[in-house]
Amino acid sequence: MSHSQSGLSNISQVLLRTPHLLSGQCPLLVNMSEDGFINEYLALNPKSKISCYNTNFIDYSAISSRYKENVHCVFDSQYQSKTLHDLVIITFPKSKAELPFTLAMIANSLAPNATILMVGEKKGGIQSSKKVVIDYIDNYQKIDSARHCMLFAGSIAEQARSTPFDLASWYKQYQLNINNISLTIASLPGVFSQKQLDIGTELLLQNLPQKMSGKVLDFGCGAGVISCFIGKTHPDCQLSLLDVNALALTSAMKTLEINELTGQVFASNSLSSVTEKYQHIVSNPPFHQGIKTHYHATEQFLSGIKANMLPKANITIVANSFLRYQPIMEQYIGSTEQLLCKKGFLIYKTQC
């Protein structure tokens, strides 16, 4: 491995072990992170016109800011292209349900003879990908296994290429009834608690401030459950919903629409896109990113959020009981009380 490759992830290193498979005139990279792989790719294929499709705003921002000139970057819940790609490299998603959705979506943007490369960490479940891709990829074969990762290759199934993609058909909907408030939740594959309400959010909804009005920020909104509950319970609130994931943001917009509510829905890397001040901040903050447990985004949020709180504003969050958020909230926001400890979750509330 060259010195320039030293910062590459295991996934990128495995891909670069088979350079003969990487040649493409207009390759599409799906949900790759920015670790220098694109530089290595362009060194091998200097004339390639690369497109990057990311559903994660952090990865999209890193790639688009580093490769302004020579890479076409897309952050959206749907990828569409007039150009037909002759190669696609897909990072195996942390949610298996997202994979058929991704393949169905990109199928119309691939040339008939396009090579599909699927790469991922073994502990992420890529070994069982053959069952998941059966309707979408033909001739799916394992190519390499190294650095705790696996690489598969195949070609797009003609049936998948000839089927128009309809985003609406991929929503799962379910009904909720909490404190006599009825909601319909719409969620795309891979979005947190796609099929039912999770315990943490349910406990949070039962422990929100009794009176709420003014601007509300829902941090890590997922499919928009918390905001819609607040919107129905406290119609005077103005809702803002933030997430890092494009599929979550589109799901939240759909959930607001179904429940006849309005809100400002936007992408943000922690607080990077937050410019307003709020009366109430609510969150079931994310702490799983990929296979490893990460708290960084939430700790960044809790240590920086006071600048976006109005006088006498409050923040209510739910967290797994093993996560020690109370000292961070005490240090950066103010006196913090534990409202509840139940079923492995804690509810914290801080008044500014």
Side-chain angles (χ1 to χ4, degrees), residues 298-322:
T298 303
E299 291 182 355
Q300 226 179 0
F301 153 62
L302 292 173
S303 60
I305 191 62
K306 190 167 185 178
N308 299 99
M309 295 174 75
L310 290 163
K312 298 186 179 172
N314 55 52
I315 175 168
T316 313
I317 72 165
V318 61
N320 289 60
S321 50
F322 65 82

Side-chain angles (χ1 to χ4, degrees), residues 48-311:
S48 290
K49 291 183 168 58
I50 299 177
S51 295
C52 285
Y53 168 61
N54 289 84
T55 55
N56 181 292
F57 186 67
I58 300 171
D59 294 331
Y60 160 78
S61 301
I63 294 169
S64 58
S65 63
R66 184 166 176 186
Y67 304 98
K68 286 189 182 78
E69 304 302 317
N70 46 1
V71 176
H72 173 60
C73 297
V74 176
F75 170 77
D76 205 334
S77 56
Q78 192 169 349
Y79 182 80
Q80 293 167 308
S81 169
K82 292 189 173 76
T83 309
L84 292 182
H85 299 286
D86 54 350
L87 169 69
V88 58
I89 302 172
I90 301 171
T91 302
F92 190 75
K94 61 181 177 183
S95 163
K96 270 187 205 169
E98 209 177 308
L99 190 53
F101 169 81
T102 302
L103 292 168
M105 173 176 48
I106 65 170
N108 306 131
S109 302
L110 301 183
N113 60 346
T115 300
I116 299 174
L117 299 180
M118 184 84 62
V119 63
E121 293 187 18
K122 286 180 186 173
K123 60 186 176 183
I126 192 168
Q127 287 108 316
S128 59
S129 59
K130 206 160 199 165
K131 297 175 198 156
V132 187
V133 306
I134 197 159
D135 294 331
Y136 302 95
I137 303 181
D138 290 338
N139 312 312
Y140 192 66
Q141 303 292 332
K142 188 176 94 173
I143 302 296
D144 197 5
S145 180
R147 312 206 195 293
H148 311 292
C149 295
M150 295 175 90
L151 174 66
F152 290 81
S155 54
I156 195 72
E158 184 49 45
Q159 173 197 343
R161 276 192 81 248
S162 58
T163 306
F165 180 73
D166 175 25
L167 186 75
S169 68
W170 288 87
Y171 284 105
K172 288 254 190 324
Q173 293 195 8
Y174 60 92
Q175 304 297 126
L176 286 185
N177 198 304
I178 295 179
N179 298 358
N180 298 317
I181 299 289
S182 293
L183 297 172
T184 303
I185 308 304
S187 192
L188 290 169
V191 175
F192 180 62
S193 64
Q194 194 208 357
K195 294 174 185 170
Q196 61 192 39
L197 184 65
D198 62 289
I199 296 164
T201 301
E202 186 173 359
L203 292 171
L204 180 66
L205 296 182
Q206 292 164 354
N207 288 275
L208 290 170
Q210 289 186 331
K211 290 182 180 175
M212 296 180 78
S213 61
K215 290 183 179 178
V216 177
L217 176 65
D218 180 353
F219 179 89
C221 64
V225 177
I226 298 169
S227 284
C228 285
F229 179 80
I230 292 170
K232 288 288 188 189
T233 316
H234 307 283
D236 291 344
C237 287
Q238 292 102 56
L239 306 170
S240 290
L241 296 77
L242 165 171
D243 207 283
V244 74
N245 184 281
L247 304 181
L249 295 170
T250 298
S251 301
M253 285 189 257
K254 185 74 170 173
T255 301
L256 285 168
E257 182 190 320
I258 292 170
N259 294 287
E260 299 180 332
L261 293 164
T262 57
Q264 181 198 12
V265 181
F266 62 100
S268 186
N269 171 6
S270 191
L271 297 171
S272 68
S273 307
V274 179
T275 56
E276 296 188 42
K277 291 181 186 277
Y278 301 91
Q279 198 60 54
H280 305 279
I281 292 152
V282 291
S283 185
N284 180 354
F287 68 91
H288 278 301
Q289 277 206 327
I291 302 135
K292 301 181 185 74
T293 306
H294 285 296
Y295 324 100
H296 181 65
T298 303
E299 291 182 355
Q300 226 179 0
F301 153 62
L302 292 173
S303 60
I305 191 62
K306 190 167 185 178
N308 299 99
M309 295 174 75
L310 290 163

